[in-house]
Amino acid sequence: MKKITTKTISPIIVIAVLIVLWETISHLFDIPAWLLPAPTVIVQEGIAGWSGYQHHLISTTKLSVIGFAIGVSVGLMVAISLHILPTFKKAFYPLLILSQNIPIIVLAPLLVIWFGFGVMPKLIVITLVCFFPIAVSTLDGFRQTSHELLHYMQMAGASKRQIFTKLELPHALPSVFSGLKIAATYSVMGAVISEWLGANQGIGVYMTLAQSSFRTDRVFVAIFFIMLLCMLFFGIIVGLEKIFIKGRVKEENN
């Protein structure tokens, strides 16, 4: 209990100290609000302007969830396909790595040219940023399967389907969830980037409008909600990880 309490309280104390220092420096040096607003100013704007950005927050959340679901689905399907078909893995895995050398911020304008300013290019951007961590982590999980257990199941006459469902997939779950946690945070980032390129609503749009009007307090409000969404998605994945992985470990022990 002491370790858990320390781990929980220590980050809170550090954050609280930083906020107090920020507030003190802002007032002590009389820093203009357009340059660096104090935390109290940001909180006041966040509360007072809720009705003005509520729909932006909802839009970004929906876009992030849908794009995350598509990216995870595609990433898992590609990883499973490359694992089942080793020949294709040798041919396409280098291309999978090379695809990540293209910055999304550079590729996004091309998607707008090809697909317009609708939802499609935005979902493609989020899918691309979520796809890679899922595919790579899942493939690494499959590769870390115990060779002794694999040899034992083959000697016992298990089929490839049984080996995959009973051995390889369960052993890859920790790696899959590692990729899910990365993709969950990337999905929000991808949504905001896609909204910068052309959208009617979303946190990215709200941030762009605030920046152009030198409302730095609103920019920080947007940053806060982006961080909050990332932490929320990350926490959900961690909760699911505890349910699935710890539940599987308990079943194996029993």
Side-chain angles (χ1 to χ4, degrees):
M1 290 297 293
K2 290 183 179 180
K3 290 184 179 180
I4 297 176
T5 303
T6 304
K7 289 181 180 179
T8 304
I9 293 179
S10 297
I12 297 176
I13 294 175
V14 172
I15 293 173
V17 170
L18 291 175
I19 291 175
V20 171
L21 287 174
W22 182 358
E23 183 75 24
T24 303
I25 291 172
S26 297
H27 291 288
L28 187 62
F29 293 97
D30 196 20
I31 301 176
W34 63 266
L35 182 61
L36 182 64
T40 51
V41 176
I42 298 172
V43 172
Q44 290 173 2
E45 176 58 31
I47 296 173
W50 171 253
S51 59
Y53 61 79
Q54 179 181 5
H55 62 288
H56 291 298
L57 181 60
I58 295 173
S59 176
T60 300
T61 303
K62 290 181 179 179
L63 192 63
S64 300
V65 171
I66 296 173
F68 173 75
I70 297 174
V72 169
S73 300
V74 174
L76 287 174
M77 287 190 295
V78 169
I80 293 172
S81 300
L82 294 180
H83 175 69
I84 295 175
L85 303 170
T87 304
F88 283 92
K89 180 180 178 180
K90 293 178 182 179
F92 287 99
Y93 192 78
L95 296 177
L96 183 66
I97 302 298
L98 287 174
S99 67
Q100 296 306 300
N101 294 326
I102 304 174
I104 295 297
I105 196 68
V106 175
L107 184 61
L110 292 176
L111 297 175
V112 172
I113 294 174
W114 295 335
F115 300 101
F117 290 94
V119 180
M120 181 62 70
K122 299 176 180 59
L123 291 178
I124 293 176
V125 168
I126 302 172
T127 300
L128 289 174
V129 298
C130 294
F131 158 79
F132 182 76
I134 290 294
V136 172
S137 61
T138 303
L139 284 171
D140 287 340
F142 289 144
R143 189 169 58 248
Q144 294 172 5
T145 302
S146 172
H147 294 288
E148 290 78 8
L149 292 175
L150 178 61
H151 181 68
Y152 174 79
M153 291 192 70
Q154 289 173 341
M155 292 293 293
S159 64
K160 290 184 178 181
R161 181 177 180 179
Q162 290 174 327
I163 292 174
F164 178 77
T165 56
K166 301 295 184 180
L167 178 63
E168 293 176 330
L169 185 58
H171 277 77
L173 279 180
S175 298
V176 172
F177 275 103
S178 296
L180 286 174
K181 285 183 280 190
I182 297 173
T185 55
Y186 280 8
S187 65
V188 181
M189 177 193 68
V192 174
I193 291 175
S194 66
E195 290 166 351
W196 285 344
L197 303 172
N200 296 323
Q201 56 183 358
I203 293 296
V205 176
Y206 177 80
M207 182 183 291
T208 302
L209 294 174
Q211 181 183 3
S212 61
S213 59
F214 291 94
R215 291 299 304 268
T216 313
D217 53 346
R218 293 183 178 180
V219 174
F220 274 101
V221 169
I223 292 173
F224 169 77
F225 278 109
I226 291 171
M227 294 171 59
L228 187 63
L229 280 177
C230 291
M231 291 173 61
L232 177 62
F233 290 171
F234 187 89
I236 292 173
I237 300 300
V238 170
L240 292 174
E241 181 183 21
K242 291 180 179 179
I243 293 173
F244 282 96
I245 294 182
K246 287 189 176 181
R248 180 173 65 86
V249 171
K250 288 181 180 179
E251 289 179 359
E252 291 178 352
N253 293 334
N254 293 334

